[in-house]
Amino acid sequence: NSFVTRTNTCGELRSAHVGQKVTLYGWVQYQRQGLFLVLRDFQGLTQIIIPQDEAHSHVKELLSNAPVESVVRVTGIVSPRPLGQENPKMPTGDIEVKAETAEILNSCKKLPFEIKDFIKKSEALRMQYRYLDLRSFQLQSNLRLRSRMVMRMREYLCNLHGFVDVETPTLFKRTPGGAKEFLVPSREAGKFYSLPQSPQQFKQLLMVGGLDRYFQVARCYRDEGARPDRQPEFTQIDIEMSFVDQAGIQRLIEGLLQHSWPEERALITTPFPSVTYEEALAEYGTDKPDTRFGMKIVDISDVLRGSDIHFVQNALSYPHGSIRAICIPQGVRYLTNKDLESLKESAKSQSNQEIMEIIRRPDGSLKSLLTKFLGEKEQSELIQALKMQEDDVVLLAAGEHKQVCSALGTLRLLSADLLEAAGLALRDPTAFHFLWVVDFPLFLPKAKTPTELESAHHPFTAPHPSDVSLLYSDPTKVRSQHYDLVLNGNEVGGGSIRIHSAEQQRFVLEEVLKEDSEVLSHLIEALEFGAPPHGGIALGLDRLISLIVDAPSIRDVIAFPKSFRGRDLMGNAPDYVTSEELEPYHIQVSWPLEEKEAKKN
């Protein structure tokens, strides 16, 4: 209560304060029949007794008529609640304040929605009136937890480990590769700034500059269009270190998260487990596995290799052919025939992958279209390989290794959703399973032109020390020193050891990625002036906090988010500007015909 005129907040009064005269400020949560009201501020609720005697009639009239969500000041005496009227659900439930004086500081007009967490309202309405939505307990709690975590991160990095907090520019130039960047016009005709998708180049240049350890709570920008759970502007905890290896970065981040982790959440243990990219894909069908539950993908190629099943033999005849399966525990009990058909249809439509099902009956036998092609020995080996129990359902796929694993990885998650919807507790919502994924490929074929390569991470990532020679002979086989941090099936961080050789950086850009290295001439030149070996990582703060508080969307942990189409519904941004305002930037807008007509009308 320092620096303000209140004596206490609405969440701190207890029996020990009985008899004290207090002044509270807050919003009217609700009022009942002119007898009492509940006052709310950022810290909690306090019950205010409205005086009924003639001497305080003006106070009674004022508080009885105050609309909900009006801002009021109340001065009164803290009193114990009458016996039997205590409210154990409220921290202030043993006391009440008997009002002596009051003032309406600002009356509230009719609300577009009730400010209560249990009242459902559309997200569009919540974002239009975000300043009202921010009064809700859940958003207040989310933002305060976020603030506490960031403060502890600063303490860990700066006070305990000598990092320097440096602000980097948000007006820069285009970076080749990666996500699409927002353009900002300049007063030089035809020249534009770019808003950086990350401070990547600057943090590397800070290492060249000898700062040794950098960090920043960085604002970043990506023009990715309409994405359901992405934001065009977002925040990351950005970190870079000199003279560090991959293990050093991982130890730093594990310590950082342990130090800043909220006390009210389940403890996290370190070191975090680690899997390679190839292991993640083979066992979970994704490079961001949710390890809170089993149902791993199992390779059953050897079990079925000797069978006479045509599609099995056809798949295994290809160089990367594979037969794999997942076992859904108690699938017969929890999944309907409609559920199983929807899973198979999903694999067909999304991955062009056919799926066969196998059921283990209560008597231990198998039910499937495949069983007539399998002998007792093969059926027994299949049960053993998949650890099938009674009433388990197996989904089997055959084909090219990566396609099969990807399809089964998707079905694994869809099956988990269906099992939990049917009442089987599979993923503990209070558990936090961190996982490092390492040894990513350095390059991947471009989706539209597979003969060309693009960076799997970004063009500044260093090759794996064991694969450096392959960079010049067969870059498709090069592993990278790129590492991702995954939490409960969501990527919450990614980083790499960087290329610190100008020659190698130029080769990657020009010979492998076929990019114009002139765009990055400043960085390449910097690497020629004694650049130290360095590496770093960025944690996605919005995503991390949303997982910690179990928010349905990252928009619930951001004070003023954009809609999934990238619009600010409260301020109606982006908005039109006049041709006069555009003139200094040498820009003319070419309007589509229908928009021209709309503007005329």
Side-chain angles (χ1 to χ4, degrees):
N1 299 302
S2 50
F3 314 117
V4 293
T5 53
R6 66 180 176 232
T7 61
N8 301 87
T9 66
C10 295
E12 68 176 294
L13 296 176
R14 302 290 187 272
S15 296
H17 296 93
V18 167
Q20 293 182 16
K21 188 171 187 175
V22 297
T23 298
L24 307 179
Y25 289 79
W27 287 263
V28 177
Q29 176 90 345
Y30 64 85
Q31 185 264 121
R32 185 174 176 185
Q33 298 175 344
L35 299 174
F36 70 87
L37 59 81
V38 172
L39 199 63
R40 183 195 76 244
D41 68 6
F42 72 95
Q43 200 176 46
L45 308 168
T46 295
Q47 182 166 288
I48 308 295
I49 300 300
I50 300 173
Q52 303 297 311
D53 58 301
E54 189 63 31
H56 294 91
S57 58
H58 63 291
V59 177
K60 177 181 179 181
E61 182 182 359
L62 187 144
L63 293 179
S64 299
N65 295 322
V68 169
E69 291 302 313
S70 294
V71 184
V72 303
R73 174 191 59 77
V74 174
T75 298
I77 304 297
V78 181
S79 306
R81 290 200 187 190
L83 197 64
Q85 292 185 24
E86 300 91 346
N87 185 349
K89 294 180 180 178
M90 284 175 66
T92 61
D94 290 335
I95 60 92
E96 57 195 15
V97 173
K98 293 184 175 177
E100 293 183 344
T101 64
E103 181 185 0
I104 304 288
L105 300 174
N106 211 330
S107 185
C108 180
K109 71 175 187 178
K110 183 175 172 58
L111 293 162
F113 55 80
E114 285 191 72
I115 301 171
K116 292 174 183 173
D117 287 311
F118 60 85
I119 299 290
K120 290 189 183 265
K121 48 258 183 193
S122 74
E123 189 170 50
L125 191 64
R126 288 176 57 203
M127 293 180 72
Q128 183 182 350
Y129 295 96
R130 189 62 169 184
Y131 45 84
L132 294 180
D133 200 31
L134 284 169
R135 295 181 190 175
S136 71
F137 170 80
Q138 193 58 62
L139 277 185
Q140 289 262 332
S141 173
N142 292 352
L143 292 176
R144 292 178 191 281
L145 181 142
R146 177 181 177 133
S147 173
R148 290 195 301 273
M149 278 198 73
V150 169
M151 182 55 71
R152 288 176 186 165
M153 286 178 174
R154 287 186 188 277
E155 177 186 67
Y156 181 83
L157 292 168
C158 294
N159 297 354
L160 299 183
H161 294 287
F163 280 77
V164 184
D165 185 352
V166 181
E167 297 170 19
T168 55
T170 51
L171 291 177
F172 196 44
K173 64 189 290 187
R174 188 185 73 85
T175 303
K180 196 172 180 183
E181 295 169 336
F182 285 101
L183 297 178
V184 180
S186 76
R187 291 175 182 266
E188 295 184 58
K191 291 187 176 182
F192 292 79
Y193 296 105
S194 280
L195 298 181
Q197 53 188 294
S198 82
Q200 182 61 46
Q201 294 182 54
F202 291 112
K203 63 181 182 177
Q204 290 191 241
L205 292 168
L206 287 169
M207 296 304 101
V208 178
L211 258 76
D212 193 67
R213 296 181 172 205
Y214 142 92
F215 114 94
Q216 180 183 187
V217 182
R219 297 294 283 165
C220 305
Y221 308 87
R222 288 181 187 169
D223 187 8
E224 295 186 308
R227 300 283 294 271
D229 206 23
R230 294 284 182 94
Q231 287 283 295
E233 51 183 337
F234 56 97
T235 307
Q236 61 188 35
I237 304 297
D238 202 49
I239 290 170
E240 197 79 5
M241 296 174 73
S242 295
F243 311 111
V244 71
D245 60 11
Q246 183 171 303
I249 295 287
Q250 289 173 334
R251 286 197 303 271
L252 170 77
I253 295 303
E254 289 166 358
L256 173 70
L257 288 170
Q258 272 201 319
H259 185 85
S260 60
W261 199 252
E263 297 91 345
E264 62 270 30
R265 295 298 186 271
L267 290 175
I268 56 174
T269 56
T270 59
F272 301 152
S274 177
V275 297
T276 67
Y277 169 81
E278 292 296 341
E279 288 169 343
L281 194 66
E283 295 183 357
Y284 300 97
T286 176
D287 59 6
K288 43 180 185 287
D290 188 343
T291 55
R292 287 175 296 171
F293 68 107
M295 287 172 58
K296 288 185 182 181
I297 300 169
V298 179
D299 186 354
I300 53 172
S301 303
D302 289 341
V303 175
L304 299 181
R305 198 176 298 277
S307 71
D308 294 329
I309 305 170
H310 175 69
F311 76 88
V312 167
Q313 295 306 323
N314 187 48
L316 293 177
S317 67
Y318 291 103
H320 300 288
S322 181
I323 317 296
R324 295 184 177 250
I326 58 170
C327 183
I328 304 173
Q330 299 296 291
V332 172
R333 187 179 303 176
Y334 289 98
L335 301 183
T336 64
N337 287 334
K338 186 179 177 182
D339 290 333
L340 292 173
E341 288 305 315
S342 74
L343 289 171
K344 290 193 280 188
E345 181 54 39
S346 173
K348 180 69 175 172
S349 60
Q350 292 182 27
S351 308
N352 195 29
Q353 181 66 56
E354 294 288 349
I355 298 293
M356 298 289 291
E357 67 185 77
I358 306 171
I359 294 171
R360 191 173 187 196
R361 298 187 180 101
D363 63 5
S365 64
L366 299 182
K367 176 188 173 185
S368 173
L369 294 174
L370 301 179
T371 50
K372 61 183 177 182
F373 300 103
L374 302 174
E376 280 188 29
K377 180 174 178 291
E378 288 168 320
Q379 291 190 34
S380 176
E381 288 176 353
L382 198 60
I383 290 169
Q384 193 172 351
L386 291 161
K387 296 183 173 61
M388 289 182 75
Q389 305 294 318
E390 293 174 10
D391 290 337
D392 285 356
V393 175
V394 163
L395 301 180
L396 179 149
E400 193 274 328
H401 170 70
K402 285 190 176 178
Q403 179 181 314
V404 164
C405 290
S406 178
L408 288 176
T410 302
L411 293 183
R412 176 178 178 267
L413 295 174
L414 291 174
S415 301
D417 291 340
L418 291 171
L419 290 172
E420 289 182 335
L424 179 65
L426 201 62
R427 294 170 289 197
D428 182 354
T430 65
F432 297 96
H433 285 222
F434 282 98
L435 178 74
W436 288 108
V437 181
V438 300
D439 289 356
F440 283 80
L442 188 58
F443 307 109
L444 292 171
K446 286 184 177 179
K448 292 182 180 177
T449 51
T451 55
E452 297 177 16
L453 295 177
E454 62 184 1
S455 296
H457 187 220
H458 57 53
F460 315 113
T461 300
H464 193 286
S466 305
D467 295 353
V468 172
S469 60
L470 289 171
L471 181 63
Y472 305 96
S473 59
D474 191 353
T476 59
K477 293 182 179 176
V478 180
R479 292 169 298 162
S480 69
Q481 294 190 70
H482 162 202
Y483 32 84
D484 275 354
L485 183 60
V486 175
L487 172 58
N488 295 354
N490 297 268
E491 182 191 336
V492 293
S496 65
I497 302 301
R498 322 300 186 189
I499 295 171
H500 66 278
S501 157
E503 182 186 352
Q504 190 178 87
Q505 185 66 80
R506 192 178 285 110
F507 178 83
V508 166
L509 288 167
E510 295 177 356
E511 303 302 324
V512 181
L513 300 177
K514 310 300 182 188
E515 294 276 5
D516 179 9
S517 65
E518 190 60 33
V519 181
L520 293 166
S521 59
H522 57 283
L523 179 63
I524 294 172
E525 185 178 19
L527 296 180
E528 294 176 326
F529 287 104
H534 57 283
I537 193 169
L539 298 178
L541 185 63
D542 308 314
R543 178 83 54 212
L544 177 63
I545 301 295
S546 71
L547 292 169
I548 290 172
V549 302
D550 195 26
S553 164
I554 62 170
R555 291 186 283 279
D556 291 318
V557 299
I558 300 170
F560 297 100
K562 303 289 188 289
S563 73
F564 84 95
R565 294 190 186 281
R567 293 192 57 80
D568 181 334
L569 301 181
M570 180 181 67
N572 195 29
D575 203 358
Y576 296 108
V577 296
T578 64
S579 55
E580 290 79 16
E581 289 172 297
L582 288 174
E583 192 174 343
Y585 303 107
H586 314 281
I587 292 175
Q588 287 184 314
V589 178
S590 177
W591 297 101
L593 186 61
E594 61 271 18
E595 289 195 32
K596 273 185 181 177
E597 294 302 317
K599 283 178 74 66
K600 283 180 186 175
N601 299 330

